[in-house]
Amino acid sequence: MTSTPPVEEKPYKILFEGARCFGAGKCAEVADNWGMDFSTGLASPKTYFLDDDELPENVRAAGVCPAKKDVGVIHIIDRRTGEEIAPNPDGDGTISLG
């Protein structure tokens, strides 16, 4: 079991709606943190907790995900504020889980 790193080290987390992933693979094309499991045909992150350097590629992955009617199933949350950074379709920081 992986322990949760301190917020100071990894201030962002990924919430991934894996059951809604349909394996388009767009996330894996733009971010090293994302890979495709060819046995299931679904994507998955290598890590769920991110630092500032890892943030941009994962925001990009969230932005290109076409699942869930083009809103995406990859959500990046700021652990310090609880606000959604990406995809944040409403632009107000609320978490857009399906």
Side-chain angles (χ1 to χ4, degrees), residues 46-92:
K46 296 173 186 167
T47 183
Y48 285 90
F49 296 96
L50 310 169
D51 62 26
D52 288 322
D53 292 339
E54 298 162 313
L55 183 62
E57 79 169 35
N58 285 279
V59 167
R60 202 165 34 257
V64 300
C65 178
K68 200 175 78 174
K69 298 181 183 176
D70 295 328
V71 176
V73 298
I74 299 168
H75 307 272
I76 311 297
I77 310 300
D78 187 322
R79 294 172 64 199
R80 298 162 294 196
T81 65
E83 293 182 343
E84 182 174 273
I85 297 170
N88 197 16
D90 295 325
D92 62 2

Side-chain angles (χ1 to χ4, degrees), residues 15-70:
L15 296 179
F16 178 52
E17 296 178 271
R20 292 176 175 244
C21 175
F22 56 73
K26 300 292 184 186
C27 56
E29 289 177 8
V30 300
D32 290 336
N33 187 45
W34 290 85
M36 294 297 297
D37 181 339
F38 294 107
S39 67
T40 64
L42 302 176
S44 62
K46 296 173 186 167
T47 183
Y48 285 90
F49 296 96
L50 310 169
D51 62 26
D52 288 322
D53 292 339
E54 298 162 313
L55 183 62
E57 79 169 35
N58 285 279
V59 167
R60 202 165 34 257
V64 300
C65 178
K68 200 175 78 174
K69 298 181 183 176
D70 295 328

